[in-house]
Amino acid sequence: PAITGGSVSLSLDSGAVDVGALNPGTPVSGTTTATVITDAPSGYQLLLEKTQAFTHTDGATTLVDVSSAIASPAAWSGPGFGFTVSSGTTLEAKWGSGTKFAALPTLAPTSVHAVSQSISAPDATTVRYQAEASSSQRPGRYTTLVTFIATIQP
């Protein structure tokens, strides 16, 4: 018979990441390390989403997302807002060890990292966010909320 189920827990190293103020032509970045514990024999998936565009404190100005999708991240070419998975167990080659970036989906949790085996110890995955303003972009502080979700692999 098939064995299913299990439990999963997720913790983040910080509840907030401050990348600083955006200034045209100067990329800024920050990281979150997500640690997953599970007893599931099939492993887990880590999903991410953001709640809104990367928005200036004026509440109206937004920074565009980078154009590449999670399925095919690309080298940073700025300007925009994106992320990469820079470290983790069985890190997919598509992330280029943290050198290839993708847009964070808005209100659509999407798998960004998967471990397809049981884990015997807490498993840490580092996500790096990067933002860069164009010469016409309003400088200053921008914000969004990123949600992390850990699920058991089917």
Side-chain angles (χ1 to χ4, degrees):
I3 299 173
T4 60
S7 62
V8 64
S9 69
L10 170 68
S11 62
L12 304 177
D13 66 341
S14 176
V17 176
D18 184 356
V19 298
L22 288 184
N23 290 300
T26 304
V28 294
S29 64
T31 63
T32 298
T33 299
T35 301
V36 174
I37 299 172
T38 183
D39 59 359
S42 57
Y44 72 92
Q45 289 185 57
L46 185 64
L47 297 88
L48 295 181
E49 71 174 351
K50 67 180 185 305
T51 57
Q52 65 180 26
F54 204 45
T55 305
H56 191 276
T57 54
D58 68 9
T61 307
T62 59
L63 184 64
V64 299
D65 289 329
V66 295
S67 60
S68 51
I70 290 171
S72 55
W76 185 260
S77 61
F81 176 64
F83 82 100
T84 185
V85 181
S86 58
S87 68
T89 302
T90 63
L91 184 64
E92 290 180 76
K94 70 180 182 182
W95 296 112
S97 299
T99 60
K100 296 187 177 178
F101 293 80
L104 266 167
T106 302
L107 299 176
T110 304
S111 180
V112 300
H113 180 66
V115 174
S116 299
Q117 63 198 28
S118 63
I119 57 172
S120 59
D123 194 54
T125 302
T126 301
V127 173
R128 181 165 57 105
Y129 317 98
Q130 190 152 305
E132 182 179 347
S134 69
S135 60
S136 62
Q137 186 78 34
R138 182 173 185 174
R141 293 196 171 271
Y142 287 70
T143 187
T144 192
L145 178 66
V146 177
T147 303
F148 283 71
I149 301 166
T151 63
I152 294 171
Q153 286 273 46

